[in-house]
Amino acid sequence: MSDKEQQPTTTEQEQTSTTEQEQTPTTEQDQTPKEAQVQTLRDEKEITPIEESYPRISLAHQEVERVLAEIDAYWRVVEESGGEWVMLEGMANLLANDLGYEDQDEFEEAMNGSLANFLSQFPHIEISVQESTGKPVFRVLPKPSEDQLRPFKLICHVKSRRDLWRVCFKAEQARIEIPELEFEIGASAKPQIDCIYNHIAQAVFNLGTVVRESRSYSDEGKKRISETIEMLNVLLDVEQPWTFVVHDVSGLSGFKPSDGIEVEYLDLVDVD
């Protein structure tokens, strides 16, 4: 049984099935109109790492993708100008305007906290503090080189509702498996970054769309899909432990926080 309906924020290639990631600011001449609103740093001497937090994503799946898309687009501009870190001061206001919020306060209310707190939840983003000012800065971590990448399987044991708020970065080629249900979320056209809860909730939404709108399934098929939806919703109550597994041949996927995540490298598996 498979769900090939389009997700609201992905292309038609996204599939979900039940079978189956000294500070020197830039000058005005170097800055684009957007970049001029946010200070960019080119030196790491005064950057102090912040320990991993364990907050909760309050934005919906679609809104998370919108925010991260804006961050990634801005970061590409920073990289091209030689920047290494970006001051978060002013970034929230820039995002609020771009994303259609009334002001920064409304944007931070939707995020249930500061932009620094929100971005700290994602494994591909690093948040630190500039020692001289005490103000937060961020950068998007570079992808590992090809010789550093290894195919692996990441295993997260969901033992409490707190584990549902771990963020999973699912690379394009990766697939998510819930072995207890023999359920799988397949490869996608672009990376998917969200908490475990929202990954499952999005799958529930997609399957619900199939039941409501698809004409290619028999009544019996739709009944089985509805049963899968019910079982997925039960998982979100975490009445008993279950397993969230990411199979990734690209080696790019990850979790944050990463404590307790088991890693099995697929290139070490013996093939008979």
Side-chain angles (χ1 to χ4, degrees), residues 22-239:
E22 191 182 321
Q23 274 44 340
T24 305
T26 56
T27 63
E28 292 295 322
Q29 288 83 358
D30 294 333
Q31 296 172 332
T32 64
K34 273 193 176 184
E35 189 178 356
Q37 302 177 49
V38 185
Q39 187 179 9
T40 302
L41 308 176
R42 292 198 172 109
D43 195 346
E44 299 189 29
K45 292 181 181 178
E46 296 185 9
I47 303 302
T48 302
I50 294 179
E51 293 184 2
E52 285 190 354
S53 59
Y54 211 117
R56 168 174 170 168
I57 291 181
S58 57
L59 295 182
H61 177 83
Q62 294 91 338
E63 196 71 353
V64 169
E65 288 202 338
R66 290 180 62 203
V67 172
L68 293 179
E70 289 286 330
I71 290 289
D72 287 343
Y74 182 80
W75 180 251
R76 285 195 292 271
V77 175
V78 171
E79 279 191 310
E80 290 172 1
S81 68
E84 296 177 348
W85 293 87
V86 176
M87 296 287 290
L88 275 165
E89 186 175 33
M91 192 73 195
N93 187 56
L94 176 69
L95 288 170
N97 290 334
D98 285 353
L99 296 171
Y101 288 91
E102 183 176 338
D103 52 31
Q104 180 175 332
D105 289 341
E106 184 183 42
F107 179 48
E108 293 188 339
E109 182 179 354
M111 291 189 296
N112 196 30
S114 67
L115 180 61
N117 183 71
F118 176 78
L119 293 180
S120 71
Q121 301 169 85
F122 299 97
H124 70 305
I125 295 176
E126 181 179 359
I127 304 294
S128 294
V129 171
Q130 183 185 17
E131 291 183 353
S132 60
T133 64
K135 294 181 179 180
V137 294
F138 83 92
R139 65 177 176 176
V140 176
L141 296 174
K143 289 185 178 181
S145 60
E146 290 293 330
D147 59 348
Q148 293 177 309
L149 296 175
R150 297 173 63 187
F152 55 49
K153 177 168 67 174
L154 303 177
I155 304 171
C156 176
H157 297 283
V158 181
K159 301 177 181 179
S160 69
R161 289 186 61 84
R162 183 183 183 189
D163 288 316
L164 295 176
W165 306 113
R166 289 182 187 265
V167 170
C168 172
F169 175 90
K170 173 184 172 293
E172 296 98 317
Q173 299 180 51
R175 56 188 177 87
I176 294 170
E177 177 196 9
I178 302 174
E180 290 83 355
L181 300 185
E182 297 185 352
F183 180 85
E184 184 173 297
I185 299 174
S188 54
K190 61 181 180 179
Q192 301 293 308
I193 312 171
D194 218 326
C195 61
I196 291 176
Y197 184 99
N198 281 351
H199 278 294
I200 300 301
Q202 186 66 28
V204 168
F205 176 86
N206 291 343
L207 292 172
T209 301
V210 171
V211 173
R212 292 189 303 271
E213 301 178 5
S214 177
R215 298 181 180 179
S216 60
Y217 287 92
S218 64
D219 289 342
E220 180 61 25
K222 290 184 178 181
K223 179 182 177 181
R224 292 176 61 193
I225 294 173
S226 297
E227 290 171 350
T228 298
I229 291 173
E230 183 177 351
M231 289 187 289
L232 288 171
N233 281 322
V234 169
L235 289 184
L236 296 179
D237 293 331
V238 197
E239 295 176 350

